Amino acid sequence: KNEVEQSPQNLTAQEGEFITINCSYSVGISALHWLQQHPGGGIVSLFMLSSGKKKHGRLIATINIQEKHSSLHITASHPRDSAVYICAVRWSRWSGGSNYKLTFGKGTLLTVNP
Amino acid sequence: GAGVSQSPSNKVTEKGKDVELRCDPISGHTALYWYRQRLGQGLEFLIYFQGNSAPDKSGLPSDRFSAERTGESVSTLTIQRTQQEDSAVYLCASSLGVPGTSGGSSYNEQFFGPGTRLTVL
């Protein structure tokens, strides 16, 4: 079964710390998404990537296709970054995927204390 | 412009009753997705609509679940004879379209609604 694993499940940090959230997956993918879900709120797409690295403000997402691994980094973390961060992948055709269906990790709950 | 909207935001129902959840996608988005998020679990794919193509219903957990979409606009997810295990947040998302397996196109970016929290007593 194709799977997506995230670590850690829970992460508590002090304001200003550098944060790393990890995502690993079992077989080949065509794209990986990082999503943010605030408590009681909807889900916002942060990044979609299939190779290399993307940066938006204090957020950086990297992916290593050979190692089947992606990381989401937050620099100079702030309490407003507190949310659940979700990794989702679109499996490649030869991994049995479609060009639209996503498989989601269980999420990482990040709490940034002031 | 308006984002994806869903209604109701919360629904409490008794076991055995039918419920209908509504999703209004972003105007012009041809692709629409329904997901379920149970407590402590990741999102699960339920169903996918793309234009006038036959929907992909492979994620629907049982024949009590069904969904419809009117053209490229509103979609409704219906759960018949609700069970307690149906309690979850039901999320809808839409995207411009799906042109292929390329990971770089903005066509693939999904915009999520706020969800409907369903509680079955």
Side-chain angles (χ1 to χ4, degrees):
Chain A
K1 181 182 175 184
N2 296 354
E3 292 183 332
V4 179
E5 298 284 341
Q6 283 187 240
S7 63
Q9 282 189 311
N10 291 280
L11 180 57
T12 300
Q14 289 300 121
E15 184 173 356
E17 287 184 358
F18 181 83
I19 304 290
T20 296
I21 299 170
N22 297 298
C23 176
S24 59
Y25 48 91
S26 52
V27 294
I29 64 170
S30 59
L32 182 143
H33 299 248
W34 280 103
L35 310 167
Q36 180 191 57
Q37 185 175 32
H38 280 281
I43 293 175
V44 174
S45 177
L46 298 175
F47 295 104
M48 181 174 61
L49 64 167
S50 55
S51 64
K53 176 180 175 178
K54 286 190 175 180
K55 185 175 189 293
H56 182 69
R58 295 180 295 106
L59 301 178
I60 303 166
T62 63
I63 188 167
N64 185 317
I65 295 296
Q66 286 73 32
E67 295 187 2
K68 299 185 177 59
H69 180 269
S70 175
S71 292
L72 177 69
H73 305 286
I74 305 175
T75 61
S77 60
H78 191 277
R80 65 175 174 266
D81 297 326
S82 298
V84 175
Y85 291 84
I86 301 169
C87 171
V89 304
R90 186 150 36 92
W91 305 110
S92 63
R93 293 277 185 158
W94 48 86
S95 298
S98 69
N99 58 356
Y100 55 84
K101 194 179 294 186
L102 296 178
T103 300
F104 298 82
K106 291 186 179 181
T108 294
L109 175 60
L110 172 65
T111 303
V112 182
N113 294 318
Chain B
V4 178
S5 61
Q6 292 186 245
S7 61
S9 54
N10 279 285
K11 177 73 176 177
V12 180
T13 190
E14 293 179 347
K15 178 180 171 182
K17 301 278 189 180
D18 297 352
V19 295
E20 192 172 275
L21 312 180
R22 177 187 168 107
C23 172
D24 279 275
I26 293 173
S27 178
H29 280 195
T30 63
L32 186 146
Y33 312 75
W34 280 99
Y35 299 99
R36 178 172 71 174
Q37 186 178 32
R38 289 190 280 193
L39 190 64
Q41 302 297 314
L43 277 79
E44 304 169 75
F45 167 83
L46 295 178
I47 188 168
Y48 163 76
F49 296 92
Q50 171 60 40
N52 295 319
S53 302
D56 178 351
K57 304 179 181 181
S58 60
L60 295 178
S62 78
D63 58 9
R64 296 185 295 105
F65 288 70
S66 63
E68 292 184 351
R69 187 180 186 193
T70 308
E72 293 186 350
S73 60
V74 171
S75 175
T76 55
L77 176 69
T78 302
I79 309 173
Q80 296 178 308
R81 305 181 303 282
T82 52
Q83 304 293 310
Q84 287 181 332
E85 63 261 27
D86 299 334
S87 296
V89 176
Y90 290 82
L91 289 149
C92 174
S94 70
S95 63
L96 269 174
V98 187
T101 57
S102 167
S105 170
S106 61
Y107 272 60
N108 294 332
E109 182 177 5
Q110 295 185 29
F111 294 83
F112 286 81
T116 294
R117 183 175 298 277
L118 175 66
T119 303
V120 182
L121 302 177

